Amino acid sequence: MLTKEDFKKIKKEAKLEIAVLEQEYHDIGQKLDSSQSDQRKNRRYASLVIELCSIMEQMLNQLYQNVYQKSFNSTELMKIPAYRARSNMEMIQAELTKQQITLKSGKENMAHALSQVFQARNRLIHENFTFASIVKEDMKEEQTFEAMLDTIKRYRKHLKYLRPE
């Protein structure tokens, strides 16, 4: 069973990993100057997005495993009609919500924002690993990555465990 202390520990581990990744992002700007190709920078941003989503997936999977005492199995959950059209992240969020692990009141839109980050990650993977394929209109690569990073950080921050001990 998940305790509030376990919950806080799992969230803190994710926060620390996100901070390391954020520092790597800032280092890209310092290490890659204009003489290096945009292609290299593009690949670095793409790999950071993949890792950023992996950190979030790992956090949610750890929470799921602690709550249910078993590994997350999307194939099994897809047998539930309401889950058939949902992504793995949407399924795991729904399952965690059943156990009082949810976003703060008024922050429910963060679940949709997280879903958009994961959709962008999937598009990135399927579009030949090119970050340019997910850069938002009227934004630069840096702005797009920073928006994704901010979404992940805010989602993690606003995730709460409401079950009393």
Side-chain angles (χ1 to χ4, degrees):
M1 173 150 207
L2 182 70
T3 66
K4 284 198 177 194
E5 289 76 29
D6 292 337
F7 177 78
K8 289 177 183 177
K9 181 183 174 190
I10 291 168
K11 278 185 61 177
K12 185 176 181 176
E13 288 171 0
K15 181 181 182 178
L16 294 173
E17 289 188 50
I18 291 167
V20 169
L21 189 135
E22 188 172 12
Q23 184 57 51
E24 288 179 33
Y25 162 70
H26 290 298
D27 290 347
I28 290 172
Q30 295 170 357
K31 290 180 181 176
L32 296 178
D33 59 29
S34 59
S35 66
Q36 292 178 311
S37 74
D38 286 336
Q39 187 177 17
R40 171 82 176 122
K41 190 175 180 181
N42 190 303
R43 283 193 310 265
R44 289 294 302 134
Y45 284 146
S47 65
L48 289 175
V49 168
I50 302 296
E51 188 172 357
L52 186 61
C53 290
S54 294
I55 292 168
M56 188 55 49
E57 282 178 317
Q58 183 179 14
M59 182 191 82
L60 293 173
N61 275 316
Q62 284 179 311
L63 291 172
Y64 182 92
Q65 286 177 3
N66 276 291
V67 167
Y68 289 100
Q69 298 297 304
K70 64 180 183 179
S71 295
F72 175 71
N73 184 343
S74 62
T75 305
E76 187 66 30
L77 288 171
M78 283 190 164
K79 293 177 183 175
I80 300 169
Y83 284 169
R84 286 193 186 131
R86 291 187 178 187
S87 70
N88 283 356
M89 293 316 313
E90 291 168 328
M91 283 190 277
I92 202 166
Q93 286 173 328
E95 288 295 302
L96 291 174
T97 299
K98 290 178 185 178
Q99 299 299 320
Q100 304 300 312
I101 299 172
T102 189
L103 291 163
K104 285 182 185 177
S105 181
K107 301 296 181 182
E108 293 84 5
N109 63 332
M110 292 304 308
H112 178 69
L114 181 68
S115 180
Q116 289 180 319
V117 169
F118 277 86
Q119 288 172 11
R121 187 258 334 241
N122 293 344
R123 194 167 51 254
L124 173 78
I125 291 169
H126 297 294
E127 304 251 345
N128 298 320
F129 203 68
T130 174
F131 190 76
S133 68
I134 63 169
V135 173
K136 296 181 179 181
E137 278 187 43
D138 302 326
M139 292 179 88
K140 294 181 180 179
E141 290 175 336
E142 293 84 1
Q143 293 169 315
T144 297
F145 180 79
E146 288 170 8
M148 296 172 91
L149 177 63
D150 183 60
T151 297
I152 295 287
K153 288 168 61 174
R154 287 186 302 137
Y155 181 90
R156 191 212 59 82
K157 179 181 177 183
H158 295 303
L159 195 64
K160 296 292 175 198
Y161 188 35
L162 305 175
R163 175 170 279 172
E165 301 262 354

